[in-house]
Amino acid sequence: MFTSVLMIEQPLTPVDVDFVTTLHGDDEVSFIVLMQPRGDQDRLLRAIDDVALGELPEALHEGDEPEGTAARRPAAQALEHSLEALRRKGAKAVGQLVEDHPLDKLRSVVEETGADEVIVLTAPHFVEEFFHRDWASRARHKVGVPVLKLFAHNE
């Protein structure tokens, strides 16, 4: 069985689920999903990304999004939704919220499980990507397995 560690920052859409569950054809795939709740440090970068994507209303409402401890419950619900969607497609899936140091947690999960790859599924983050500070770019130097970066879909 092929094991993928899937890093996400929002619930998986049906398009995302279809995509990640068919990446390896008919091979059985097991997913370990890591989801990090939103943090205060990301607000400015998220607003810049919204502006770059032409989503001005979203940029104005970034301050309304729950962050820190208030973001844990919505993140847990999003994680459970994503795990159920993967399971409905026939994949094995477990997951957890990642509070601190997501890349350190990613490395330890890859090592502990013997994962075959990492899939980072996020919205575009132009500033971080430009400076190679996004999760996928940084993970490539830490995990020792292939890292695939995919852009998440909005419903």
Side-chain angles (χ1 to χ4, degrees):
M1 179 173 298
F2 200 82
T3 302
S4 295
V5 178
L6 179 59
M7 289 190 73
I8 61 174
E9 60 185 7
Q10 62 190 32
L12 296 176
T13 67
V15 174
D16 295 330
V17 172
D18 286 342
F19 192 51
V20 298
T21 57
T22 59
L23 279 173
H24 299 289
D26 293 332
D27 293 342
E28 269 191 83
V29 181
S30 169
F31 291 96
I32 302 161
V33 182
L34 302 178
M35 179 166 199
Q36 183 179 29
R38 295 172 78 111
D40 295 329
Q41 74 280 5
D42 300 329
R43 184 180 299 163
L44 176 61
L45 292 176
R46 289 192 313 258
I48 291 170
D49 290 338
D50 289 339
V51 170
L53 290 169
E55 298 171 351
L56 298 179
E58 287 83 353
L60 294 173
H61 295 289
E62 279 298 338
D64 300 337
E65 292 289 327
E67 296 180 340
T69 56
R72 285 186 191 141
R73 184 171 179 185
Q77 291 172 336
L79 176 61
E80 191 55 39
H81 163 82
S82 299
L83 293 173
E84 288 299 321
L86 289 166
R87 291 174 188 143
R88 280 193 303 273
K89 281 292 191 176
K92 293 183 180 179
V94 296
Q96 60 184 290
L97 294 181
V98 178
E99 301 286 335
D100 300 314
H101 310 293
L103 294 174
D104 291 338
K105 183 62 174 179
L106 175 63
R107 180 177 52 213
S108 68
V109 167
V110 168
E111 290 172 358
E112 291 167 11
T113 63
D116 298 295
E117 71 179 356
V118 170
I119 301 171
V120 178
L121 184 69
T122 67
H125 297 291
F126 296 111
V127 174
E128 292 172 318
E129 290 167 21
F130 181 78
F131 291 106
H132 302 285
R133 301 301 303 156
D134 59 297
W135 282 349
S137 296
R138 293 168 45 204
R140 286 185 179 103
H141 303 288
K142 282 193 167 242
V143 296
V145 297
V147 176
L148 177 62
K149 179 179 182 163
L150 302 173
F151 290 119
H153 294 81
N154 291 328
E155 287 192 292

